[in-house]
Amino acid sequence: MELVLKQKQELGLVMTFQLRQAIELLQYSTYDLYQYIKEQELENPLIELVERTNNFIDSEKWKGKTKLTSSSQQLIDFVKSNDIGMRHKLYEQAKFLFRNKQNQQLLKYLINNLDDNGYLRLKENELFDETTIEKGIHLLQQIGPIGIGARSLKECLLLQITYEYPEKKLAKTLIENHLDLLANRKWNDIARCMRISLASVKETYDFIQTLNPNPCSDISDFSVEYLSPDIIVEYKDGNLVYYLNESYLPEIHFNNQYSNLLNLEDETSKYISNQFTSYKWLLNSIEQRRITILKIVEVLLKKQEKFFIEGVRSIKPLTLKEVATEIDMHESTVSRATMNKVIQTPRGSIDIRKLFTSKLETIDGNSISQTEVKDLLEKIIKKENKCKPLSDQKIADYFNTEKGVTISRRTISKYREELNIPSSNLRKEIDL
């Protein structure tokens, strides 16, 4: 066996730290970018950050040129609420109404085990027996909305009938014995089992519809969360203007106290030189991110102009590839640049990805966006005969024949579920 030394030349793509940094920054939201810059300040001694004295100063970035604009946001929006919360209010009311310490402890236990809709969720009950829990639930009806503390939908509805509508015997019987048939709208089966007419079934069903399945939906102590958009689009003087919302990002400066170490030839100088390279790469990456996002937004304003004026229903078919071709970039770059970004528009704030929708072909060779199809789907179902609702297949056939849109039954089913529209069986009304 002979050992031979050979030299071979190959081409390969190596992802450097700086390239990886640029890619990561591209997909950061403005808030994530703020956090990243703060981290870099801790790691790189050459980076010196200067926080802006006013986070609400005016900022307008039009085609790469920055000009700051004032915000109308009021300081009162940031004052924390002193609301003590509904659970605490319920317990305070329980202590006021019931002087018995055991009842107070029972009610405190039940109140602390209520879920966000006011239902009682007990996994393992070791403190109180079933009879005591039943007693506590009925005590709860005196201090909260009727139905609070129920352990199921059936119990919630029955509590409301017991305390507010005791005369509705038929509704109570229907809920107790045939709630599953009611949920599936088996009107004829209900009429046969209860030996009543369809007219009585409809009257009873209409009454049950007036009951509240979530009588305590505001029990959770929700805190207000503010969303800071990454891009702002405004309608001014008949034109759409846009800019990045970077008013709260700190200014990045070079720490001059290390400048005299750059020209030395020792280990310290080598370290400082590397950090200086990282500093320049950070500035370049942030600038490249800004330019890329502005280019994409400029195309979106041109392609989706009707959306910014009329709203979501006017969104046209648009893909990442089409935008990438328009700005002469790769599709993956556009994908990263639009990731985790919120755009504030005259029609509200939305995820910028909402402006990209796939298209469906029509018979005449044109295309229609998913948003328009969903809008048509809602209108068709709204106008249908509720006694004989349209199946997904019939809706698909209607699109194919009447609208010239080629669409399958499974796609109709998918869009219907995304719109939270029940199936035809669950939309069926009583036919008298």
Side-chain angles (χ1 to χ4, degrees):
M1 182 176 179
E2 183 180 1
L3 295 177
V4 179
L5 182 62
K6 291 185 177 180
Q7 193 174 28
K8 187 177 180 181
Q9 186 176 15
E10 291 182 346
L11 290 176
L13 180 62
V14 178
M15 182 174 287
T16 63
F17 169 77
Q18 289 84 358
L19 180 59
R20 187 165 63 250
Q21 180 190 65
I23 292 174
E24 288 178 356
L25 291 186
L26 195 58
Q27 60 193 23
Y28 281 170
S29 66
T30 308
Y31 178 76
D32 292 334
L33 179 61
Y34 173 82
Q35 297 293 332
Y36 182 80
I37 292 173
K38 298 289 286 185
E39 291 174 5
Q40 292 302 303
E41 180 189 28
L42 298 176
E43 296 177 6
N44 192 336
L46 301 186
I47 295 177
E48 186 177 40
L49 300 183
V50 177
E51 296 287 349
R52 299 184 189 272
T53 55
N54 185 1
N55 287 339
F56 305 111
I57 50 182
D58 274 345
S59 171
E60 181 182 355
K61 294 188 177 179
W62 175 251
K63 294 187 178 179
K65 296 183 180 179
T66 307
K67 179 185 175 184
L68 296 178
T69 66
S70 66
S71 169
S72 59
Q73 197 163 14
Q74 299 181 8
L75 293 178
I76 193 66
D77 293 338
F78 295 92
V79 178
K80 187 175 180 180
S81 171
N82 291 322
D83 193 350
I84 60 176
M86 188 172 181
R87 292 179 197 275
H88 186 75
K89 290 177 181 177
L90 288 173
Y91 181 57
E92 290 295 320
Q93 194 169 355
K95 289 194 297 183
F96 178 76
L97 290 177
F98 306 107
R99 298 299 181 182
N100 186 292
K101 294 295 183 182
Q102 291 182 339
N103 286 341
Q104 290 181 8
Q105 289 299 318
L106 171 61
L107 289 172
K108 183 178 181 180
Y109 175 75
L110 297 182
I111 290 170
N112 288 334
N113 282 280
L114 296 176
D115 67 8
D116 292 345
N117 291 315
Y119 282 82
L120 185 61
R121 305 300 183 191
L122 297 176
K123 294 182 180 179
E124 294 182 3
N125 181 28
E126 300 177 352
L127 297 179
F128 304 100
D129 56 30
E130 183 66 21
T131 304
T132 306
I133 293 296
E134 288 282 352
K135 173 188 173 182
I137 291 174
H138 286 283
L139 290 177
L140 275 176
Q141 310 311 306
Q142 301 179 46
I143 62 173
I146 302 299
I148 186 175
R151 289 159 291 184
S152 64
L153 174 62
K154 178 188 289 189
E155 187 176 14
C156 178
L157 299 178
L158 288 175
L159 283 170
Q160 293 179 58
I161 291 177
T162 300
Y163 282 89
E164 294 186 321
Y165 308 99
E167 73 283 357
K168 298 290 184 179
K169 304 294 184 183
L170 201 58
K172 183 176 182 180
T173 302
L174 177 55
I175 293 172
E176 282 181 331
N177 303 312
H178 308 294
L179 189 60
D180 55 336
L181 296 177
L182 185 66
N184 292 305
R185 301 197 172 201
K186 302 291 185 180
W187 310 123
N188 292 324
D189 292 346
I190 293 172
R192 185 178 66 255
C193 292
M194 296 185 64
R195 297 181 180 179
I196 57 177
S197 64
L198 283 176
S200 297
V201 174
K202 178 173 174 54
E203 181 182 354
T204 306
Y205 170 73
D206 291 342
F207 162 72
I208 293 175
Q209 286 288 91
T210 64
L211 302 179
N212 188 357
N214 298 313
C216 206
S217 57
D218 57 346
I219 194 170
S220 292
D221 302 325
F222 294 108
S223 58
V224 178
E225 295 184 1
Y226 293 93
L227 180 66
S228 179
D230 303 283
I231 307 121
I232 297 178
V233 177
E234 296 177 338
Y235 200 64
K236 292 183 177 179
D237 301 325
N239 296 313
L240 290 170
V241 296
Y242 62 94
Y243 53 91
L244 297 185
N245 184 26
E246 297 178 332
S247 59
Y248 60 89
L249 288 182
E251 297 178 2
I252 304 175
H253 294 273
F254 177 74
N255 193 338
N256 289 316
Q257 71 181 45
Y258 294 97
S259 58
N260 60 338
L261 300 177
L262 287 171
N263 300 323
L264 300 179
E265 296 182 358
D266 54 12
E267 290 298 322
T268 303
S269 178
K270 184 177 180 180
Y271 169 77
I272 295 297
S273 296
N274 290 335
Q275 295 301 321
F276 182 65
T277 302
S278 299
Y279 162 77
K280 290 192 298 183
W281 262 98
L282 177 62
L283 293 179
N284 292 335
S285 298
I286 293 175
E287 180 62 17
Q288 187 60 45
R289 170 188 178 274
R290 188 180 68 84
I291 293 172
T292 302
I293 294 175
L294 288 174
K295 284 183 178 180
I296 293 172
V297 174
E298 186 174 359
V299 175
L300 289 176
L301 259 66
K302 182 172 64 175
K303 299 286 187 179
Q304 301 287 13
E305 183 178 2
K306 289 189 69 176
F307 156 75
F308 293 102
I309 299 173
E310 300 175 7
V312 176
R313 300 186 187 278
S314 299
I315 291 180
K316 293 184 178 180
L318 185 64
T319 63
L320 294 171
K321 187 175 182 180
E322 290 175 337
V323 175
T325 303
E326 190 83 13
I327 63 176
D328 196 22
M329 289 185 179
H330 195 273
E331 184 178 346
S332 62
T333 303
V334 178
S335 177
R336 290 189 180 95
T338 55
M339 190 180 298
N340 306 317
K341 305 294 189 302
V342 174
I343 181 169
Q344 178 181 306
T345 75
R347 312 302 299 182
S349 297
I350 62 170
D351 187 331
I352 197 172
R353 287 293 187 95
K354 297 280 188 182
L355 299 178
F356 296 90
T357 62
S358 59
K359 56 187 176 182
L360 299 170
E361 300 296 332
T362 59
I363 295 176
D364 57 7
N366 295 320
S367 60
I368 184 172
S369 70
Q370 285 185 0
T371 305
E372 290 181 80
V373 171
K374 289 179 181 179
D375 185 32
L376 285 172
L377 177 60
E378 281 187 302
K379 290 179 179 178
I380 291 170
I381 292 178
K382 188 176 181 180
K383 294 179 180 179
E384 71 182 357
N385 182 356
K386 297 304 179 182
C387 296
K388 295 180 180 179
L390 299 171
S391 66
D392 293 341
Q393 184 59 58
K394 288 184 178 179
I395 294 175
D397 294 339
Y398 175 83
F399 270 101
N400 292 328
T401 57
E402 300 295 329
K403 300 296 182 180
V405 179
T406 305
I407 190 170
S408 66
R409 180 196 61 79
R410 294 183 64 179
T411 304
I412 290 294
S413 177
K414 174 187 172 184
Y415 290 171
R416 179 176 52 73
E417 290 174 358
E418 290 176 357
L419 294 169
N420 294 320
I421 298 175
S423 63
S424 57
N425 290 335
L426 299 180
R427 300 199 306 271
K428 186 176 182 180
E429 299 288 351
I430 299 176
D431 185 4
L432 298 179

